[in-house]
């Protein structure tokens, strides 16, 4: 789910400035430019979910085609997040940011022109290539611009607030656009925003590079792409092609081999793309697992809820967006509250509340039917909004506190990748188990068929509660030793 949370890249959270001195008189304008990209990408996420039923009608998309419309974006995004940070450090942050804006704009334009599901999925991948260069690189620009730690914290706080606003406005804006213009508008609305950001970036954002960029890791990058792509393909296409088919078994086998090879290969590198030694820290491992569970629940919720409200209840896209506003409102309220609780009491309390809210919503929706009262749905949406709003602050704190200070940026980048992996798996798993169980007309069969999906969402919430209790105590916060083993052909170097 790109843009829904703040993201960081390697080397930018240790308080070390790099590159040329920032233009201090423009630093708040630079922050605004970076926030534009976050708002655009965050808005795009919720808008696209609301447009899925219209896309299904117009392009005659299958349920798996709708899943790929969402997951083609998140899989590519998750695969390239860490690479984009390395590219920005090496080739220039402003240059990478501008390239991301251009690719995201091109992908948005082409998505609106798509005439079939296949081309829409391909153009969503172009969008994701651009999106991977926006929010993570924007955080690098912010960290390099705001050298004072207090101002940097304030800037990151404003950045996070924009993420919440984009979630809140997305359903209403998306519903209005689909109702008035058509699903194509949810992509084309990005074009003027990206054009404004491009002009302002060229005028006011200074170029900066890392004095010692991390080495590129093409083998590790390829293994990550193969792992995520084959795993997601197997989950989405399994109900259609048969779980026992040679193609699906082959996908899961390739994914397992890619995962094992990735771990073995990265352990031998001095500067790995993904430092698996981080997972020695219980606090860090718990944060990553909670990120996967929490964002799987969010993505699955948005996907299933859009189909339920529009295809089953026959609500318009705008009406659907208005109904989900209580969720977004509670997210806005609980997010800053979670940050205060983490600062005063640590991450355990908000983590447990986050899991309980997610599990409560899932359990309530396991009883949903074709004529469920609106007040009942609103209670479920409020519970999920509280839970999701409480999640991000303890995740970031737990991930970073489990690492040495010099590794905080890398830890945050891995956490961001975990969020996107969770989003991809949420749509794949919850969507597959729900749509595959529909028998007869979709509108009458979907409510009962979706109960298993909502139960899995509740399970994700219970997993977050368990992880919060087990991995946020004093014993779990001891930092892992991320120092890599020496590579056979050269001495080990500090991972940044």
């Amino acid at each position: 789910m790109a843009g829904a949370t703040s993201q960081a890249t390697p080397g930018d959270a240790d308080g070390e400035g790099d590159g040329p001195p920032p233009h201090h008189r423009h630093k708040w304008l630079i922050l605004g430019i970076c926030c534009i990209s976050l708002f655009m990408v965050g808005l795009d996420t919720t808008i696209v979910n609301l447009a899925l039923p219209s896309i299904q009608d117009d392009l005659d998309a299958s349920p798996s085609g709708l899943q790929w419309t969402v997951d083609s974006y998140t899989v590519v995004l998750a695969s390239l997040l860490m690479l984009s940070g390395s590219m920005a450090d090496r080739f220039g942050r402003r240059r990478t940011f501008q390239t991301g804006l251009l690719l995201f704009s091109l992908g948005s334009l082409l998505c609106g022109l798509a005439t079939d599901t296949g081309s829409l999925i391909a153009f969503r991948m172009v969008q994701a290539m651009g999106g991977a260069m926006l929010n993570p690189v924007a955080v690098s620009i912010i960290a390099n611009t705001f050298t004072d730690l207090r101002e940097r914290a304030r800037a990151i706080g404003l950045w996070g607030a924009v993420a919440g606003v984009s979630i809140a406005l997305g359903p209403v804006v998306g519903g209005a656009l689909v109702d008035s213009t058509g699903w194509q508008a949810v992509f084309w609305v990005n074009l003027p925003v990206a054009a404004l950001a491009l002009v302002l970036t060229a005028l006011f954002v200074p170029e900066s590079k890392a004095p010692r960029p991390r080495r590129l890791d093409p083998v590790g990058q390829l293994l990550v792409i193969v792992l995520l792509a084959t795993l997601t393909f197997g989950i989405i296409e399994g109900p259609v092609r048969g779980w026992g088919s040679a193609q699906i078994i082959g996908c899961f086998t390739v994914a397992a081999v890619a995962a094992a090879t990735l771990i073995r290969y990265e352990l031998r590198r001095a500067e790995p793309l993904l430092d698996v030694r981080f997972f020695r820290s219980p606090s860090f491992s718990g944060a990553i697992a909670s990120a996967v569970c929490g964002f799987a629940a969010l993505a699955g919720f948005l996907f299933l809820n859009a189909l339920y409200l529009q295809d089953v209840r026959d609500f318009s896209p705008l009406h659907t967006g208005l109904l989900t506003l209580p969720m977004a409102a509670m997210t806005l309220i609980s997010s800053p509250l979670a940050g205060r609780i983490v600062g005063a009491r640590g991450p355990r309390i908000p983590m447990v509340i986050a899991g309980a809210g997610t599990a409560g919503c899932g359990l309530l929706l396991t009883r949903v039917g074709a004529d469920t009262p609106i007040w009942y749905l609103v209670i479920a949406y409020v519970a999920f909004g509280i839970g999701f709003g409480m999640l991000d602050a303890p995740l970031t704190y737990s991930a970073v506190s489990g690492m040495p200070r010099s590794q905080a940026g890398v830890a945050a980048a891995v956490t961001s990748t975990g969020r996107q992996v969770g989003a991809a798996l949420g749509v794949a798993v919850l969507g597959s188990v729900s749509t595959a169980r529909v028998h007869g007309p979709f509108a009458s069969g979907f409510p009962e068929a979706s109960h298993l999906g909502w139960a899995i969402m509740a399970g994700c919430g219970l997993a977050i509660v368990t992880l919060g209790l087990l991995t946020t105590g004093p014993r779990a916060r001891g930092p892992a030793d991320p120092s890599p083993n020496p590579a056979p052909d050269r001495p080990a170097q500090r991972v940044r």
Side-chain angles (χ1 to χ4, degrees), residues 305-394:
N305 194 59
L307 295 180
Y308 169 72
L309 291 180
Q310 295 186 59
D311 285 351
V312 177
R313 302 299 293 265
D314 202 26
F315 291 140
S316 69
L318 179 57
H319 195 177
T320 298
L322 292 173
L323 282 175
T324 54
L325 268 181
M327 182 204 77
M330 296 312 301
T331 300
L332 282 175
I333 294 171
S334 57
S335 292
L337 179 60
R340 291 175 185 163
I341 297 174
V342 169
R345 303 289 300 275
R348 174 170 291 184
I349 293 175
M351 189 81 82
V352 170
I353 295 174
T358 302
C361 176
L363 289 174
L364 286 170
L365 293 178
T366 57
R367 300 178 62 86
V368 74
D371 55 355
T372 300
I374 296 300
W375 62 263
Y376 185 91
L377 297 176
V378 169
I379 291 175
Y381 299 161
V382 167
F384 186 75
I386 294 173
F388 185 72
M390 282 281 171
L391 184 63
D392 197 55

Side-chain angles (χ1 to χ4, degrees), residues 160-253:
V162 171
V165 171
S166 67
I167 292 175
L169 292 181
V172 178
V173 174
L177 287 172
V178 175
D179 265 356
S180 62
T181 309
W183 63 266
Q184 293 87 348
V186 305
F187 298 107
W188 289 340
V189 72
N190 296 322
L191 300 180
V193 180
L196 175 63
L198 270 171
V199 172
L200 293 176
T201 300
L203 292 175
F204 299 107
V205 176
E207 184 62 280
S208 64
K209 300 179 182 179
R212 181 185 170 275
R214 297 174 67 213
R215 297 187 181 186
L216 298 179
D217 182 5
V219 175
Q221 183 63 62
L222 178 62
L223 288 171
V224 168
I225 293 174
V226 171
L227 168 61
L228 294 178
T230 53
L231 179 62
T232 306
F233 184 92
I235 294 173
I236 291 178
E237 297 295 332
V240 178
R241 302 171 187 264
W243 293 107
S245 67
Q247 191 174 26
I248 299 304
I249 293 176
C251 281
F252 289 136
T253 301

